[in-house]
Amino acid sequence: MIRQLSSSQTALSFTELNPEPGVKMTLSFQSPRKSFTVNYIGVKSDASVICSMPKAAASLNLEGQRLTVKMMAGNRMCAFSCRLIKSFVHPYPHWHLEYPSVVNHHTVRYHPRIPVNMAVSVDHQDEQQGIHLGLPRIVHTRDISLEGMGLESPVPLGQVGDELFVTMRFDLNGLDQVLLLAVQLQNVEEVELGVFLHGVKFDHMEEDSALIMTAFVYQCYLSELGYLHEHP
């Protein structure tokens, strides 16, 4: 069960966090109250943090002003306070920010499978096999991810490697969506008497379906975190 988005906040040095050049930085100045999004460029001998200069700030004199910086370093969300030390226009517009002594950060946790209970229809891609297995059949999902889902059924839905169709109907931000997805059966396990758990992997999903599925998975994720109302 997903309970939180991140772990407790801790502090590391900027060098230890080692962010990738090019990542976005959000700079929030205290006076004047302005915010800009810039690109991280690098560091200068642990003396300053170098970032691009936003065009909107070219006419402002912000040197010496305090600001708060937020950015990603790998899977860590980072924040620190500093001053704008120097503004340069040559050889390209860029800023030097005061090198922070410590950076507060928290690790963003990624949960590949999100608990979801919804009814779906399963059929075999081989019609004769489907008839033999008593498909199509309405079963329930246990969880879902961007790669596949867990299905619960009172009987096996096939053998590992079988290719199935899963039909899903769900609400996506108030819009009724129906998807027919090709999946491959990855594993079958009888977790208790008369309860079979199947792991299926999405196979050759079309671009439109992939976009809808991605939106649905993240909607389920935010609902599980408590940021959205539950969706059927």
Side-chain angles (χ1 to χ4, degrees):
M1 185 71 70
I2 300 171
R3 294 301 183 188
Q4 59 182 12
L5 181 63
S6 61
S7 63
S8 59
Q9 184 169 286
T10 55
L12 288 173
S13 71
F14 194 87
T15 302
E16 289 173 315
L17 290 166
N18 191 29
E20 289 287 334
V23 300
K24 298 295 182 184
M25 307 173 72
T26 301
L27 312 183
S28 300
F29 285 84
Q30 299 175 6
S31 180
R33 297 187 66 85
K34 298 218 177 254
S35 293
F36 305 100
T37 300
V38 300
N39 294 321
Y40 168 66
I41 296 174
V43 296
K44 181 182 178 182
S45 303
D46 293 347
S48 64
V49 175
I50 307 170
C51 66
S52 61
M53 180 197 301
K55 292 182 179 179
S59 61
L60 301 175
N61 182 12
L62 296 172
E63 288 185 6
Q65 297 299 320
R66 295 204 64 80
L67 66 145
T68 300
V69 178
K70 293 183 179 180
M71 63 187 300
M72 291 294 296
N75 67 335
R76 293 184 174 101
M77 176 64 75
C78 308
F80 61 91
S81 296
C82 63
R83 292 182 303 110
L84 172 56
I85 300 174
K86 192 68 177 177
S87 176
F88 293 94
V89 294
H90 298 292
Y92 53 86
H94 65 282
W95 280 344
H96 281 247
L97 309 178
E98 181 181 32
Y99 190 87
S101 55
V102 294
V103 180
N104 293 319
H105 72 90
H106 58 259
T107 302
V108 178
R109 298 186 186 276
Y110 298 101
H111 299 266
R113 289 199 173 271
I114 302 129
V116 175
N117 181 15
M118 63 182 295
V120 299
S121 175
V122 177
D123 200 359
H124 207 288
Q125 293 190 31
D126 184 308
E127 185 176 354
Q128 293 303 315
Q129 279 288 90
I131 293 173
H132 176 71
L133 293 166
L135 302 179
R137 176 183 293 271
I138 301 298
V139 301
H140 283 81
T141 62
R142 273 201 173 187
D143 50 51
I144 194 167
S145 74
L146 294 176
E147 291 79 32
M149 63 177 67
L151 303 175
E152 186 178 296
S153 169
V155 296
L157 300 174
Q159 297 181 347
V160 173
D162 281 5
E163 296 180 332
L164 311 173
F165 287 120
V166 174
T167 303
M168 305 173 60
R169 183 172 186 173
F170 51 84
D171 178 275
L172 183 61
N173 195 29
L175 299 176
D176 188 43
Q177 301 286 343
V178 178
L179 289 182
L180 174 63
L181 304 174
V183 302
Q184 185 179 77
L185 191 53
Q186 300 292 295
N187 54 73
V188 183
E189 180 184 2
E190 188 174 16
V191 293
E192 57 183 271
L193 185 62
V195 179
F196 291 83
L197 184 61
H198 306 73
V200 300
K201 179 182 179 181
F202 299 135
D203 189 25
H204 305 303
M205 195 181 301
E206 295 182 356
E207 185 176 353
D208 289 349
S209 296
L211 289 172
I212 293 171
M213 179 56 66
T214 299
F216 176 65
V217 169
Y218 279 102
Q219 175 177 273
C220 294
Y221 181 40
L222 292 173
S223 295
E224 181 68 16
L225 289 171
Y227 295 129
L228 295 177
H229 295 299
E230 294 290 336
H231 290 261

